[in-house]
Every structure is written in C-alpha cells, then in structure tokens.
Amino acid sequence: QVQLAESGGGLVQAGGSLRLSCAASGSILSRKIMAWYRQVPGKQRELVASIGSLGSTNYADSVKGRFTISGDNAKNTVYLQMNSLKPEDTAVYYCNFRGTWFTYDYWGQGTQVTVSS
C-alpha cells in the first residue's frame, strides 16, 4: 500500500520561512505529478504548487515568488520551500502524487502551517 507522509509544518511569524517535506512509501510509478495543496476550514482545498515528471513547475498566483517546489520523481520525494510567509498562508498543507491521466491519486495526512501577524 502506498502511503505519503508530510513533515515540516509549524508556527512561524509573518515574514518567516518553513520547508515542508513529503515522502512516499510502497510501490509507485516514477512518472507522476507531485504537488502541494492547502485547505482552510470551511474553504475548498486549493493547489499551491506542482512539479511534473520532466521538471516543469506550476504555482498559485498567491505564492509566486515566495514558494519553491522541488523533488525527485524517481525517489518519490517532494519539498516546498516557503519564504516571506503571510498570515493568509495559514492552512493544512497536503502532499499529493498523481499518475499521468489519473492512473492513481495519493494523498498525505496533512501538516499544519500557522503564520502569526
């Protein structure tokens, strides 16, 4: 069974930085899209950043220039470097691995990020 585990969340003041990590255990295909999502209670989960199997990246407008996604597709690991954090970045952040054409879709349990003003 494939399991994703996130780590690196915590409490930080506005303007600070955090680095989130996600690693998958179990058998998983290497050609995938790896991504970070976040969700606030009462709101829909939103895509923060993603990285394709060939290295292309995509970011939400709200985090461009502040967050950087990186990872190793073959090793099933993905990271999210978050700089210049704002209170509106406060959310539970989830790691997601998706196979091409949605052949599979795996989610982590989430890690809390809280940014104080």
Side-chain angles (χ1 to χ4, degrees):
Q1 300 293 108
V2 174
Q3 295 187 79
L4 274 58
E6 305 100 333
S7 63
L11 174 64
V12 65
Q13 291 190 335
S17 298
L18 286 173
R19 186 171 188 254
L20 305 183
S21 300
C22 177
S25 62
S27 180
I28 188 170
L29 296 175
S30 62
R31 290 181 289 182
K32 67 181 79 69
I33 296 172
M34 302 186 290
W36 289 95
Y37 288 74
R38 66 187 181 188
Q39 187 169 28
V40 176
K43 298 186 67 177
Q44 187 174 328
R45 188 172 299 183
E46 65 174 352
L47 175 66
V48 177
S50 65
I51 182 167
S53 61
L54 297 180
S56 61
T57 57
N58 181 56
Y59 297 92
D61 288 342
S62 60
V63 307
K64 286 181 179 178
R66 300 189 297 119
F67 292 9
T68 302
I69 188 170
S70 62
D72 189 325
N73 199 295
K75 295 181 179 179
N76 300 320
T77 57
V78 66
Y79 306 92
L80 185 67
Q81 178 65 48
M82 304 185 292
N83 298 325
S84 301
L85 283 162
K86 304 175 180 180
E88 49 263 46
D89 294 318
T90 296
V92 176
Y93 285 70
Y94 297 89
C95 176
N96 172 251
F97 287 5
R98 180 175 68 79
T100 303
W101 307 115
F102 288 95
T103 51
Y104 56 84
D105 192 18
Y106 302 124
W107 292 88
Q109 293 289 93
T111 184
Q112 177 71 47
V113 171
T114 302
V115 184
S116 62
S117 60

